Amino acid sequence: MVFEGTIHHMLLLHLSDVDEANWALKFREALGDYPVVRRGDDFDPADIRYIFVWKPKPDAFDGLTNLKAVLSLGAGVDALLRHPKLPRDVPMVRFIDEDLSQKMTDYVVAQVTMHHRLFTRYQADQKARRWVQLYPPAASESVVGIMGMGVLGQHAAERLKALGFTLRSWSRSPRSVEGVEGFAGEAQFDAFLGGTDILVNLLPLTPETQGILNYETFSKLRRKLDGGPVVVNGARGGHQKEADIARALRDGTLGAASLDVFEVEPLPAESPLWDIPNCYITPHIAAISNERTGVSYFSRILKDHEAGKQLVNVVDFSRGY
Ligand code: NDP
C-alpha cells in the first residue's frame, strides 16, 4: 500500500527471543497489502510508520524518522521505557488482551488457593507420613490484597471474588470496584498491608514501585494464616528484594512466597531462593502474549490509526506505565 506519492508506509517487526518470522507471517496475512518488514530486509528506515517491538536491540529505533507509533508486544513497558534511544515524541501502545489477563489470573488463583488451603504444608506432611489436622479459615475470612488494580488486578479480583475471598486493592489513584475494599497512594499503604493475609503483586515496574516487596512491607502484613502471610509476585522481578524475601521466609515474617519473576532472569543457580522450602519458583511463565490475539489486536490498531482513528491503550510516559 503506497500513500502520499512516493512515501511508503510500513510496519517493522523487531522481536528478540520469540519467533519473529512467524509473527511476520501472521501480520502479513492480517494486513494484506500493507508492507511488513523485518530487520535484515531491504527497506528505507524512513518508510517505517510503526515498529512492533519486544526486547529491542540498541539500534532498534535508528533512522526511523517518520514513526507514528511504537507497538509493544509486552503488557509491561518498563524495559522499553529504559531504552536510551526510544523516541519520546512518538506514542507507545501496549498490549492489553483477555487471553493474557486470563493466564495471569490462572496463575494468581492457583497460587492463592494453594497457599490458602495449606496444600504446600500437606505435601510436606505427606512426604513425612505425618497426620496433622490444620483447618484453614474460610476463603471469606482470608484477605487477598492486590497491589495494582489495573487490567490484570481487576481481572484477578473478579475471579477471586467468585471464589469467596475477601478482597482489598491498592492503586495510585482511588479505585472503586464492587466487592473490593480500595486503598490508594502511599498514605494508605500501611493500612492496606495491615489487613492483608495474601499479598498479590500486579503493579507495573516504575521508579515508585521498584523494590516495593521488601522486608518492611512483609513485616506489616496481617498474621492470621497458619504459617504466616504469603506474597505472590506475577509482575516484575524489579519489584522484589530477593535478599529480603529469603530473610523473611527464614525468620517467619513470611509464611510462603510464590515468585514468577526475578531480579535476574534466569534465576542464578547460586540464588538462596532455590533451596528455601516455602519459596515456590516458576520461570516467568505466568502469562505470555499470544500470537493470534496479538496480531489481531495490533493489526486492528494499525488499520484504525491509518484510517484516522485515535490510538488506544497509549502509555503515559510521565507515569511510566
Ligand atoms: P495497568 O497499567 O492496567 O495497571 C497498573 C495498576 O497499578 C493501576 O491500578 C495503577 O494505579 C497501579 N499503580 C501504578 N503505579 C502505582 C504506584 N506507584 N502506587 C500504587 N499503585 C500503582 O497494568 P496491567 O494490569 O495491565 O499490568 C501490570 C503489570 O503486570 C505490567 O506492567 C507488567 O509489568 C506485569 N505483567 C507481567 C507479566 C508476566 O508474565 N510476568 C505478564 C503481563 C504483565 P491507577 O489505577 O491509579 O493507575
Side-chain angles (χ1 to χ4, degrees), residues 133-154:
Q133 290 173 312
L134 288 169
Y135 296 95
S140 59
E141 295 167 58
S142 306
V143 180
V144 181
I146 302 176
M147 299 163 79
M149 202 49 175
V151 174
L152 297 181
Q154 288 181 45

Side-chain angles (χ1 to χ4, degrees), residues 168-236:
R168 50 176 49 199
S169 70
W170 184 68
S171 47
R172 219 166 67 120
S173 52
R175 290 265 169 180
S176 167
V177 175
E178 204 194 322
V180 182
E181 190 182 0
F183 295 79
E186 236 174 281
Q188 294 182 358
F189 190 47
D190 288 3
F192 163 76
L193 294 173
T196 293
D197 300 312
I198 301 178
L199 183 67
V200 174
N201 177 37
L202 292 173
L203 285 166
L205 183 61
T206 67
E208 290 78 42
T209 64
Q210 175 105 25
I212 196 164
L213 298 177
N214 58 49
Y215 195 86
E216 196 190 340
T217 297
F218 306 145
S219 64
K220 291 175 180 165
L221 291 166
R222 187 164 86 150
R223 304 196 56 81
K224 185 178 172 187
L225 288 184
D226 258 305
V230 173
V231 63
V232 177
N233 187 10
R236 285 286 183 265

Side-chain angles (χ1 to χ4, degrees), residues 1 3 9-11 23 27 30-31 34 49-53 68-75 90-98 292-315:
M1 196 181 293
F3 299 81
H9 285 214
M10 290 181 181
L11 167 67
W23 279 89
F27 265 116
L31 289 173
Y34 193 96
R49 293 296 185 276
Y50 302 90
I51 180 169
F52 180 57
V53 283
K68 287 193 194 177
V70 174
L71 311 176
S72 166
L73 167 61
V90 174
M92 180 193 291
V93 175
R94 74 187 189 100
F95 193 31
I96 293 184
D97 179 41
E98 170 61 24
R292 186 180 51 77
T293 55
V295 166
S296 150
Y297 171 87
F298 284 110
S299 298
R300 167 60 42 214
I301 284 175
L302 186 154
K303 282 181 189 165
D304 282 353
H305 195 230
E306 287 292 82
K309 289 195 191 156
Q310 292 253 324
L311 292 170
V312 293
N313 302 325
V314 174
V315 173

